[in-house]
């Protein structure tokens, strides 16, 4: 089925412009027309090949067997992708033909390419240019995964001219907003994207051609429900939609929410004996909660020459285990990752772990899904996952594509039976193993001494204890998680704590709801913080004596951070203070109270409060020396005096106040006040709504016109340049003399407002732009720092804001 796949050396057909005008010498224009024709022919051929493609054909084995444009084909080849994986073979042809696709395939089976290739092709065949705005939107549940998808897109899309961006939060909305307008492809997390759709003026998604949800079941589940529904509301209904996950939901309600049209269900491994990769070896260990850390320590000590991910249930668990094991120096480098870390730190840690040969990463479920760390030997689930799907995704971090991997799950005796049943139901083959007694070592005493030495560590231990027990308590699946059967005292002791923290849970807490609440509360960036840190402290919640102790003792940076978290979590207390503050002031107005107060607080020795008349109507209470002094200055008194009121005169020359009150009886006749008010509000709201619709339509029309104009201008420009420049895609290497950031500069940088009308259309070559967040930073273009002649990171001469520094750091780390 090689028909239509473009021959090497063929010109990309993208330049077949619609708005064609003869501008230069006839000879030139002839050449142009010829070339355009050829481009159109290529595009036509490609389209025919796609139309004729049989999606069920068994002949499709390699990427070269697919009707792909030259740019995609060469991009894939250069990235060393040749043979299609099962899911790619099943899904790409259907997606190329414009179908909505629901794709399910095991972890590590190549789902990313299964949607990225159709995305590139769709936009290419639609002759998408930057002036067409957003053409494709790819949604990922976590930032880590979004970054990774973006990297793959950049790799295989290197020969395309599209602009692509990453919208994952972690920096200011404004900075991101400035670069959104011209993006063709965006990879995003749902909450952040929604923020832009709601708040970024001029960001138009009405042209969207294709929507992709990676890890779709996660995005469609409760945690993201409202964000995704609102987001989809913004998108046009006529679009292609692709959903991918290793654990796909076929729920009709989900499909309806996305308004899929006759979706094709592609399940590459439905008939497979197991839901997990065949080259993955899975086992479990039964270890009582009180010995879990001992077992984990023993495991690490016997696997020093490995790359390991250890999944824990919350960010607090992660921090404690990381900090305490670090002190004990296991002999393997330790890293930790959870949702509450700063974005830059998260990126640095993921890239360090990716490139490490031997290392152990303690992580929450932020990296449970989709993230493709190369060559992971072991996935350890020290805390039992909340359900079998999470289990499948976690173990999927190893044994990716064709490599091998091993996974081990720690189960508390009370969890064993219940969870094994869940796994069996999901077709997960797992076998029991025992820890060798000789390798067991209790680290309780060491931890205790570290906790004794360091108040910070002790505090983390307490938090870890609380967050773990709480997470067990809140788990939905009571057949697996049995709170009452846990040995809490033993657990506290095993963390090195001198006593068991007292805990008290409120009834009716629901883990999903709480997780979502904290997600919503922590604004934009934290949507991927699925680390189960749970809710912030409730006001009436019992504080343990350990917490109080820690608040008192830990006077350094770490504890102040925690205290801040606690403080933030208690807005009620703040508002109480405020109420007190206000009521004190108000008491003074009441004369009787004043007298009483004066009588009882004579000890205060202030002047006795009295009331002074100012002008005709105003009065001033004199209750302090400061007020007494006021009386001496007429100028200062002006502030307290009646300013007079504005009057309007009617035709007869009678004065009326500007807002005249209606006669009360007359008003009462019109109906109940509440109803009248509602009517009035409704009427006004209706007016506003109407005006808004008009305004929006008007603005949209203007934007469209502007775009058309720019597009036309750009085409002219392009046609002019083609003659001089030759053609073909320009690689972004710095050594071909091309400035990869040319387009970037044509965009307004912060603080500098460029009218869209005045903006020069970017030059042709610059239209190829795969930029990520970091290199699209504010303060671009002054000093150039060349690294190895390849990458150019541009920054303001002196990075002066924290964001600048972060961006620079992230940029450097990326290499
Ligand atoms: P999934 O999303 O299904 O978990 P990914 O798309 O992350 O899997 O791919 C897993 C790994 O397989 C990646 O490292 C990717 O580079 C590799 N891969 C994907 N498709 C191919 C292919 N056709 N040929 C070779 N390697 C591939
Ligand atoms: Mg994936």
């Amino acid at each position: 089925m090689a028909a239509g796949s473009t021959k090497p050396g063929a010109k990309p057909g993208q330049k077949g412009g619609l708005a064609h005008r003869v501008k230069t010498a006839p000879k030139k224009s002839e050449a142009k027309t010829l070339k355009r024709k050829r481009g159109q022919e290529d595009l036509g051929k490609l389209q025919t090949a796609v139309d004729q493609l049989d999606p069920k054909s068994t002949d499709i084995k390699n990427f070269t067997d697919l009707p792909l444009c030259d740019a995609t084909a060469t991009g894939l080849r250069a990235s060393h992708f040749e043979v299609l994986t099962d899911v790619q073979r099943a899904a790409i042809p259907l997606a190329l033909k414009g179908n909505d696709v629901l794709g399910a395939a095991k972890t590590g089976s190549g789902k990313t390419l299964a949607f990225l290739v159709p995305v590139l092709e769709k936009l290419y065949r639609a002759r998408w240019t930057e002036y067409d705005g957003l053409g494709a939107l790819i949604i990922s549940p976590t930032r880590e995964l979004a970054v990774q998808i973006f990297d793959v897109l950049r790799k295989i899309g290197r020969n395309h001219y599209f602009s692509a961006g990453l919208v994952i939060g972690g920096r200011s909305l404004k900075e991101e907003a400035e670069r959104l307008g011209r993006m063709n492809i965006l990879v995003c997390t749902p909450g952040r994207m929604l923020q832009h759709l709601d708040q970024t003026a001029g960001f138009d998604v009405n042209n969207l051609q294709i929507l992709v949800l990676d890890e779709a079941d996660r995005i469609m589940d409760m945690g993201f429900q409202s964000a995704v529904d609102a987001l989809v509301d913004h998108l046009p209904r006529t679009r292609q939609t692709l959903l991918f996950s290793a654990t796909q939901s076929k729920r009709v309600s989900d499909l309806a929410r996305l308004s899929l049209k006759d979706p094709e269900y592609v399940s590459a491994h439905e008939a497979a004996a197991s839901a997990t990769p065949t080259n993955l070896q899975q086992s479990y260990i039964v270890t009582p909660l009180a010995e879990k850390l001992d077992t984990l320590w023993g495991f690490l000590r016997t696997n020093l020459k490995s790359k390991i991910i250890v999944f824990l249930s919350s960010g607090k668990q992660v921090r404690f285990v990381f900090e305490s094991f670090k002190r004990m120096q296991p002999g393997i480098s330790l890293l930790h990752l959870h949702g509450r870390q700063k974005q830059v730190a998260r990126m640095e840690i993921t890239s360090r772990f990716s490139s490490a040969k031997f290392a152990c990463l303690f992580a929450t479920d932020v990296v449970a899904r989709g993230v493709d760390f190369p060559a992971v030997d072991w996935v350890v689930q020290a805390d039992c996952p909340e359900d079998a799907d999470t289990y499948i995704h976690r173990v999927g971090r190893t044994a990716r594509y064709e490599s091998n991997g091993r996974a081990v799950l720690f189960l508390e005796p009370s969890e064993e039976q219940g969870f094994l049943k869940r796994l069996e139901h999901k077709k997960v083959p797992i076998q029991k193993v025992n820890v060798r007694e000789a390798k067991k070592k209790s680290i309780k005493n060491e931890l205790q001494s570290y906790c004794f030495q360091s108040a910070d560590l002790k505090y983390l231990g307490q938090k870890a204890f609380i967050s773990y027990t709480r997470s067990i308590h809140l788990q939905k699946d009571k057949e697996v998680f049995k709170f009452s059967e846990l040995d809490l005292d033993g657990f506290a002791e095993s963390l090195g704590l001198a006593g068991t923290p007292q805990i008290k849970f409120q009834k009716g807490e629901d883990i999903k709801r709480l997780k979502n609440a904290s997600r919503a509360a922590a604004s934009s960036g934290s949507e991927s913080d699925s680390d189960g840190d749970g809710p912030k402290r409730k006001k009436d919640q019992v504080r343990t004596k350990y917490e109080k102790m820690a608040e008192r003792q830990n006077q350094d940076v770490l504890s102040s951070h925690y205290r801040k978290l606690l403080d933030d979590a208690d807005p009620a207390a703040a508002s109480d203070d405020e109420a007190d503050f206000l009521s004190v002031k108000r008491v003074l107005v009441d004369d009787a109270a004043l007298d009483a107060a004066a009588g009882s607080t004579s000890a205060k020795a202030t002047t006795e409060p009295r009331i002074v008349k100012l002008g005709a109507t105003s009065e001033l209470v004199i209750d302090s020396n400061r007020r007494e002094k006021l009386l001496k200055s007429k100028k200062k008194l002006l502030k307290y005096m009646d300013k007079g009121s504005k009057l309007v005169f009617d035709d007869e020359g009678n004065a009326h106040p500007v807002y005249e009150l209606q006669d009360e009886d007359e008003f009462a006749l019109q109906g109940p006040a509440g109803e009248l008010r509602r009517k009035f509000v409704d009427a006004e709201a209706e007016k506003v709504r109407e005006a808004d619709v008009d305004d929006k339509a008007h603005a949209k029309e203007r934007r469209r016109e502007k775009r058309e104009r720019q597009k036309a201008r750009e085409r002219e420009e392009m046609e002019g340049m083609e003659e001089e420049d030759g053609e073909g895609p320009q690689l972004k290497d710095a050594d071909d003399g091309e400035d990869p950031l040319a387009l970037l500069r044509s965009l307004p940088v912060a603080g500098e407002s460029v009218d869209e009308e005045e903006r020069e259309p970017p030059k042709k070559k610059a239209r190829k732009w795969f930029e990520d967040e970091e290199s699209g930073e504010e303060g671009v273009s002054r000093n150039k720092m060349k690294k190895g002649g390849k990458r150019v990171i541009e920054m303001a001469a002196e990075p002066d804001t924290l964001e600048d520094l972060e961006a620079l750091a992230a940029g450097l780390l990326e290499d």
Side-chain angles (χ1 to χ4, degrees):
M1 281 299 291
S5 69
T6 39
K7 294 137 260 148
K11 317 296 178 219
Q14 194 176 12
K15 287 153 205 149
L18 296 169
H20 161 229
R21 241 182 289 146
V22 182
K23 210 174 62 173
T24 41
K27 226 182 172 182
K28 271 192 176 178
S29 87
E30 236 168 63
K32 244 187 294 174
T33 322
L34 238 176
K35 199 169 57 191
R36 195 166 309 113
K37 253 196 186 149
R38 214 162 44 200
Q40 267 161 353
E41 269 166 26
D42 278 350
L43 213 54
K45 255 195 238 162
L46 192 57
Q47 189 59 53
T48 326
V50 170
D51 293 341
Q52 288 170 356
L53 178 69
D54 170 15
K56 300 274 180 296
S57 162
T58 47
D59 297 343
I60 307 171
K61 294 216 164 53
N62 296 331
F63 282 106
T64 47
D65 299 332
L66 289 169
L68 302 180
C69 70
D70 215 29
T72 311
T74 52
L76 284 166
R77 206 177 317 133
S79 316
H80 309 288
F81 294 122
E82 280 166 21
V83 184
L84 291 159
T85 64
D86 292 346
V87 62
Q88 290 159 3
R89 196 166 25 228
I92 294 179
L94 284 169
L96 283 179
K97 290 175 84 74
N99 293 294
D100 284 355
V101 173
L102 267 149
K106 292 181 183 181
T107 53
S109 59
K111 294 184 286 291
T112 317
L113 289 187
F115 60 77
L116 285 184
V117 169
V119 161
L120 287 172
E121 287 299 298
K122 176 128 194 160
L123 296 191
Y124 177 82
R125 279 190 270 126
R127 302 164 180 222
W128 212 256
T129 71
E130 66 177 277
Y131 295 115
D132 293 305
L134 191 66
L137 185 63
I138 300 165
I139 308 180
S140 141
T142 62
R143 294 177 183 179
E144 276 71 18
L145 182 56
V147 171
Q148 183 184 304
I149 295 171
F150 185 73
D151 285 344
V152 179
L153 174 65
R154 213 154 41 153
K155 237 166 50 181
I156 67 161
R158 65 181 89 180
N159 296 330
H160 277 281
Y161 285 119
F162 308 126
S163 55
L166 197 51
V167 178
I168 54 171
R171 59 194 62 242
S172 87
L173 206 62
K174 187 166 159 264
E175 277 170 48
E176 274 181 356
E178 272 158 12
R179 287 174 290 126
L180 278 188
R182 289 198 175 189
M183 292 296 176
N184 299 139
I185 306 173
L186 282 180
V187 185
C188 66
T189 47
R192 186 56 159 195
M193 192 63 201
L194 182 61
Q195 252 186 317
H196 279 297
L197 287 170
D198 283 342
Q199 296 173 21
T200 303
F203 178 40
D204 184 3
V205 292
N206 290 318
N207 266 351
L208 191 82
Q209 301 291 304
I210 184 165
L211 171 71
V212 179
L213 270 61
D214 194 13
E215 302 298 344
D217 58 329
R218 174 77 187 95
I219 294 179
M220 298 304 287
D221 87 10
M222 277 179 61
F224 293 110
Q225 188 163 6
S226 54
V228 168
D229 286 349
L231 204 157
V232 168
D233 248 12
H234 283 275
L235 307 178
R237 276 181 169 248
T238 49
R239 49 145 212 268
Q240 193 181 357
T241 308
L242 309 178
L243 311 185
F244 281 88
S245 182
T247 48
Q248 187 68 273
S249 116
K250 264 195 266 189
R251 272 204 306 258
V252 181
S253 55
D254 284 351
L255 310 187
R257 280 168 64 198
L258 292 172
S259 48
L260 294 191
K261 295 174 296 294
D262 313 322
E264 294 279 353
Y265 188 71
V266 170
S267 178
H269 309 113
E270 199 161 41
S274 71
T276 45
T278 40
N279 37 1
L280 172 68
Q281 201 188 320
Q282 301 168 78
S283 51
Y284 73 93
I285 296 175
V286 177
T287 177
L289 182 57
E291 291 171 26
K292 184 153 43 187
L293 285 185
D294 299 343
T295 313
L296 184 59
W297 177 257
F299 177 88
L300 283 189
R301 291 287 298 155
T302 45
N303 288 286
L304 296 179
K305 294 274 171 283
S306 319
K307 189 157 163 177
I308 307 167
I309 304 182
V310 177
F311 282 105
L312 294 155
S313 63
S314 70
K316 305 237 163 58
Q317 297 279 102
V318 165
R319 287 208 61 189
F320 176 73
V321 177
F322 170 74
E323 294 290 343
S324 55
F325 277 26
K326 201 172 67 177
R327 283 163 214 245
M328 292 169 58
Q329 304 186 339
I332 179 171
S333 64
L334 301 181
L335 298 161
H336 74 309
L337 192 70
H338 56 84
R340 298 253 184 260
Q341 282 161 322
K342 282 254 154 51
Q343 184 55 27
V344 178
R346 277 165 77 164
M347 305 254 285
E348 191 211 323
I349 289 158
T350 34
S351 82
R352 260 174 63 196
F353 187 66
S354 291
S355 54
K357 192 161 177 226
F358 309 130
C360 172
L361 174 70
F362 298 104
T364 60
D365 284 334
V366 277
V367 286
R369 277 179 175 261
V371 180
D372 190 43
F373 294 118
V376 173
D377 300 302
W378 277 104
V379 168
V380 180
Q381 306 193 42
D383 291 339
C384 184
E386 62 180 312
D387 52 27
D389 278 356
T390 309
Y391 173 93
I392 292 171
H393 287 283
R394 283 176 169 186
V395 295
R397 294 322 98 213
T398 180
R400 297 185 67 73
Y401 191 50
E402 286 173 339
S403 59
N404 295 321
R406 287 193 281 180
V408 60
L409 167 69
F410 290 7
L411 287 177
E412 146 78 12
S414 63
E415 293 163 351
E416 183 181 0
Q417 257 203 335
F419 201 71
L420 285 182
K421 215 164 86 187
R422 300 279 176 270
L423 290 181
E424 201 181 330
H425 182 70
K426 286 273 173 173
K427 296 201 284 190
V428 175
I430 189 166
Q431 87 195 121
K432 185 169 178 168
V433 291
N434 294 312
V435 189
R436 261 189 237 133
E437 287 303 317
K439 297 279 179 196
K440 259 193 180 166
K441 177 186 173 245
S442 172
I443 54 168
K444 191 170 67 186
N445 291 340
E446 280 174 77
L447 286 182
Q448 226 159 45
S449 81
Y450 285 123
C451 280
F452 184 71
Q453 287 164 21
S454 156
D456 288 347
L457 193 66
K458 187 174 72 186
Y459 189 70
L460 282 180
Q462 288 158 352
K463 297 305 269 181
F465 178 92
I466 292 166
S467 86
Y468 180 78
T469 46
R470 167 183 294 211
S471 79
I472 296 295
H473 179 74
L474 296 180
Q475 289 289 358
K476 268 245 170 68
D477 194 344
K478 299 291 179 211
E479 232 177 284
V480 175
F481 301 98
K482 296 165 191 149
F483 183 73
S484 56
E485 290 182 32
L486 297 181
D487 169 17
L488 295 185
D489 294 335
F491 179 43
E493 209 180 326
S494 77
L495 298 176
L497 302 179
T500 313
Q502 296 297 308
I503 38 172
K504 188 178 163 194
F505 300 117
Q506 284 165 335
K507 283 219 177 85
E509 283 185 331
D510 163 352
I511 194 159
K512 277 268 162 66
R513 194 169 51 77
L514 290 173
K515 272 187 176 184
N516 300 341
S518 69
R519 192 176 284 134
S523 82
S524 59
S526 65
E527 59 199 342
S528 38
D529 303 349
S530 13
D531 60 358
D533 273 354
K536 290 182 174 176
R537 174 192 295 279
K538 297 258 160 50
K539 202 191 165 204
D540 52 351
Q541 195 176 306
V542 172
R543 250 150 87 249
T544 64
K545 77 176 181 220
Y546 295 93
E547 277 180 78
K548 284 186 202 151
M549 209 164 76
E551 278 167 33
R552 198 166 57 234
Q553 288 179 351
N554 303 355
Q555 305 277 319
D556 49 20
V557 181
L558 187 72
S559 62
S560 76
H561 171 69
Y562 275 105
R563 220 170 305 120
K564 213 165 67 199
L565 281 180
L566 293 178
D567 292 346
D568 284 355
D570 208 348
S575 62
D576 266 6
D577 281 358
E578 218 163 302
D580 281 343
F581 176 66
L582 287 175
S583 64
V584 169
K585 290 228 155 169
R586 226 173 281 134
V587 162
L588 291 173
V589 187
D590 180 15
D591 276 3
L594 266 185
D595 293 343
S600 65
T601 59
S602 49
K604 270 187 175 171
T606 45
T607 22
E608 199 158 300
R610 61 200 163 91
I611 292 170
V612 176
K613 281 217 173 258
L614 298 174
T617 52
S618 334
E619 293 177 345
L620 178 66
V621 181
I622 307 298
D623 58 339
S624 65
N625 291 334
R626 196 162 55 86
R627 290 248 158 136
E628 193 73 56
K629 267 191 211 152
L630 268 182
L631 292 177
K632 293 189 185 131
S633 158
K634 261 196 181 162
K635 193 171 158 201
K636 280 187 187 149
L637 274 180
L638 274 179
K639 207 165 81 184
Y640 298 90
M641 291 219 297
D642 194 5
K643 309 261 174 347
S645 53
K646 190 172 172 184
L647 292 175
V648 285
F649 293 90
D650 62 16
D651 291 342
E652 275 85 49
N654 300 324
H656 300 275
V658 179
Y659 299 105
E660 206 164 17
L661 282 179
Q662 205 176 355
D663 182 60
E664 203 171 325
D665 298 333
E666 216 171 277
F667 180 75
L669 279 181
Q670 292 173 18
E675 205 169 283
L676 284 179
R677 193 184 57 202
R678 203 166 342 107
K679 262 190 209 155
F680 176 76
V681 170
D682 286 349
E684 292 297 308
E686 185 52 37
K687 271 189 223 160
V688 171
R689 223 171 293 132
E690 273 165 22
D692 191 46
V693 168
D694 283 353
D695 283 355
K696 274 193 178 140
H698 187 64
K700 204 166 129 189
E701 182 57 24
R702 274 189 48 196
R703 275 204 300 274
R704 199 188 52 76
E705 277 170 14
K706 219 178 247 182
R707 223 174 26 231
E708 298 275 285
R709 273 204 302 279
Q710 273 172 328
K711 212 162 147 179
R713 236 190 307 181
E714 187 237 12
R715 285 225 168 86
E716 267 173 37
E717 187 91 355
M718 223 163 66
E719 279 155 16
M721 287 186 53
E722 271 164 17
E723 302 308 314
E724 297 135 36
D725 293 349
E727 53 196 319
Q730 302 288 326
L731 290 178
K732 200 171 124 184
D733 286 29
D735 41 41
D736 67 4
E738 190 55 48
D739 181 358
L741 296 174
L743 174 59
L744 194 63
R745 264 201 230 99
S746 75
L747 294 174
V749 289
E752 172 191 351
S753 83
V754 179
D755 188 341
E756 242 180 287
E757 301 280 9
E758 294 165 14
R759 206 183 292 149
E760 280 282 309
K763 294 185 177 173
K764 177 198 123 204
K765 283 181 178 178
R767 282 173 52 238
K768 190 181 118 35
W769 181 35
F770 276 78
E771 267 312 325
D772 57 39
E773 291 227 301
E774 279 62 45
S775 38
E777 257 318 303
E778 143 181 24
V780 158
S781 96
R782 249 143 280 176
N783 265 3
K784 276 197 176 186
M785 310 189 319
K786 291 207 174 182
K787 242 185 123 188
K790 271 255 171 192
R791 227 182 107 80
V792 184
I793 298 170
E794 301 203 4
M795 290 295 299
E798 186 102 320
D800 45 11
T801 65
L802 192 59
E803 277 76 28
D804 285 348
L805 280 169
E806 272 183 8
L808 178 61
L812 292 170
L813 283 166
E814 240 196 7
D815 281 24

